[in-house]
């Protein structure tokens, strides 16, 4: 079956088509904003154990779909399973986010366990297999991984929320040594995504949450070039499985990113002008986004207007409605339900108030 023949709106959009109704899902659509997630989380023990227990990971994946009926399920896992599979110590501390024993030198890269990654990640593939048997006909299954640069940020800085001084200094002072780390991550990530696709993932998203921290040369070397290698590896092993790139913070460099990586779709920041997206990016690939996640927290007329403006500007071309970054834990689920109504009613809602 070709992609264009798919009945799944998400896959239609990623193949360059315009589905009957706009496809939508939300980054981080599973998680703490849902009471049923918090209840499941309490049963699960450690966060990585949660990710590696197919029963629980399947349930966490499906929770948001039961409430809101998104057009895609995204595998419940985390980008930091790759450093974990490589043998780096990874902990998720309550209320603090991830903590890793940082790696800082090329010797640390050599000490990573490059063999046996796929064995370690077998429970994730099992989760995907079970999910692919449990989705409605119109719902697509998205696999994912972190992009090498963003995963390296956590591996080198040891946690999120830093100014990235350590990793940027390493990349500048010893680009060859740092390249060795990126190379390990390119290979591990490509193998991981290929196995996800073989297990039943119909599209994959590559999260580059820290792409915006780099200057143009660094962006080419550490963001676009490694992502291109992953896109090529996936295209060679599993042709027809589209890649959505998410170079958060890249701004208008999203265009260079799309051209250089060959992604089928690109996730966009909320501050990018909609007419620029429609005129410049959308002719080249499917665009995904770009509602401000804080607007979803706030809800009300502001959120509704932003959502409708996005739909009006982008839904006549290849488009996937999403946020510009993940759902925040403080998001009221009722606001997500309202957003679902607005998207589902499109284009009828175009006539509504606020435009
Ligand atoms: O989108 C989904 O619903 C699928 C699951 C998913 C998770 N993490 C589950 C998760 C996905 C796609 C991710 C991606 C991820 N993980 C990214 C890229 C996207 C982004 O937000 O920028 C990053 C940078 C991470 C690393 C990570 N994992 C951080 C920084 C944190 C702590 C902060 C936070 O948002 O909670 C996590 C933990 C995490 N990953 C949780 C979930 C549901 C919360 C864990 C808990 O329940 O305590």
């Amino acid at each position: 079956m070709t992609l264009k023949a798919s009945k799944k709106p998400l896959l239609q959009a990623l193949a360059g088509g315009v589905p009957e109704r706009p496809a939508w899902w939300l980054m981080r659509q599973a998680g703490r904003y849902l009471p049923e997630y918090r209840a499941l989380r309490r049963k699960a023990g450690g966060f990585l154990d949660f990710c590696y227990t197919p029963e629980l990971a399947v349930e966490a994946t499906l929770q948001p779909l039961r409430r809101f009926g998104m057009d895609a399920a995204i595998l419940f896992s985390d980008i930091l399973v790759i450093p974990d599979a490589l043998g780096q110590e990874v902990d998720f501390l309550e209320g603090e986010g991830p903590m890793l024993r940082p790696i800082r030198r090329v010797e640390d890269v050599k000490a990573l366990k490059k063999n046996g990654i796929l064995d370690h990640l077998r429970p994730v593939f099992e989760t995907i297999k079970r999910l692919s048997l449990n989705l409605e006909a119109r719902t697509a299954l998205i696999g994912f991984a972190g992009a090498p640069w963003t995963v390296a940020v956590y591996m080198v800085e040891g946690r999120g929320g830093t100014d990235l001084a350590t990793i940027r200094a390493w990349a500048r002072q010893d680009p060859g040594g740092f390249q060795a780390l990126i190379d390990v991550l390119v290979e591990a990530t490509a193998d991981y995504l290929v196995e996800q696709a073989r297990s039943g993932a119909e599209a994959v998203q590559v999260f580059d949450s820290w792409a915006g921290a780099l200057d143009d040369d660094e962006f080419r070397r550490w963001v676009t070039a490694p992502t291109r290698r992953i896109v090529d590896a996936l295209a060679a092993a599993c042709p027809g499985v589209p890649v959505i790139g998410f170079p958060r913070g890249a701004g208008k460099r999203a265009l260079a990113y799309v051209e250089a990586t060959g992604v089928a779709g690109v996730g966009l920041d909320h501050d990018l002008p909609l007419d620029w997206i429609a005129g410049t990016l959308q002719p080249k690939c499917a665009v995904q986004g770009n509602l401000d996640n804080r607007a979803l927290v706030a809800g009300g007329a502001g959120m509704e207007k932003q959502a409708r403006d996005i739909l009006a500007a982008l839904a006549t071309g290849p488009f996937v409605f999403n946020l510009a970054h993940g759902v925040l834990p403080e998001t009221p689920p009722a606001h997500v339900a309202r957003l679902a109504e607005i998207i589902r009613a499109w284009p009828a809602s175009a006539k509504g108030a606020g435009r």
Side-chain angles (χ1 to χ4, degrees), residues 297-309:
V297 173
M303 182 272 278
E304 298 190 12
K305 178 174 186 323
Q306 273 193 38
R308 291 197 178 106
D309 286 349

Side-chain angles (χ1 to χ4, degrees), residues 31-92:
R32 283 168 297 186
Y33 76 108
L34 293 177
E36 61 271 33
Y37 171 85
R38 296 195 296 270
L40 190 66
R41 176 81 176 82
R42 279 193 292 274
K43 283 200 257 171
F47 181 69
L48 283 174
D49 292 332
F50 185 2
C51 295
Y52 295 144
T53 308
E55 292 79 345
L56 301 176
V58 166
E59 174 59 21
T61 305
L62 296 177
Q63 284 176 341
L65 299 179
R66 283 192 203 113
R67 272 188 189 246
F68 310 118
M70 289 89 171
D71 295 306
I74 179 160
L75 164 70
F76 186 83
S77 179
D78 197 81
I79 65 167
L80 299 179
V81 298
I82 287 289
D84 180 56
L86 286 165
Q88 187 173 11
E89 228 173 89
V90 180
D91 274 314
F92 284 84

Side-chain angles (χ1 to χ4, degrees), residues 25-33 37-38 41-42 47 50-51 60-61 64 73-80 92-98 142-147 150-151 154 159-161 205-210 246 248 293 325-329:
W25 65 283
L26 302 178
M27 292 187 281
R28 306 292 297 272
Q29 64 193 21
R32 283 168 297 186
Y33 76 108
Y37 171 85
R38 296 195 296 270
R41 176 81 176 82
R42 279 193 292 274
F47 181 69
F50 185 2
C51 295
T61 305
I74 179 160
L75 164 70
F76 186 83
S77 179
D78 197 81
I79 65 167
L80 299 179
F92 284 84
L93 305 179
E94 192 71 47
E96 286 194 48
I142 303 176
F144 75 93
T150 285
V151 174
Y154 288 93
R159 59 193 188 87
Q205 176 151 320
V206 176
F207 285 90
D208 220 339
S209 305
W210 296 105
F246 175 57
R248 187 170 73 91
N293 57 2
H325 198 192
V327 178
L328 294 164

Side-chain angles (χ1 to χ4, degrees), residues 237-289:
C238 305
V241 175
V243 179
I244 308 166
F246 175 57
R248 187 170 73 91
K252 291 189 176 175
R253 287 187 300 190
L255 177 60
Y257 174 91
V258 164
E259 287 172 337
T261 59
V263 290
V266 65
L268 299 168
D269 298 319
H270 63 81
D271 53 357
L272 275 174
L274 293 172
D275 55 352
W276 182 83
I277 297 172
T280 309
L281 269 184
Q282 209 169 21
K284 297 189 184 283
C285 75
V287 294
Q288 176 175 284

Side-chain angles (χ1 to χ4, degrees), residues 167-190:
I167 189 169
R168 297 186 74 181
W170 184 8
R172 282 182 181 165
Q173 287 158 14
D174 173 25
F178 184 67
Q179 182 76 54
L181 173 59
I182 293 294
D183 288 345
V184 168
L185 290 171
V186 165
E187 254 186 62
T189 306

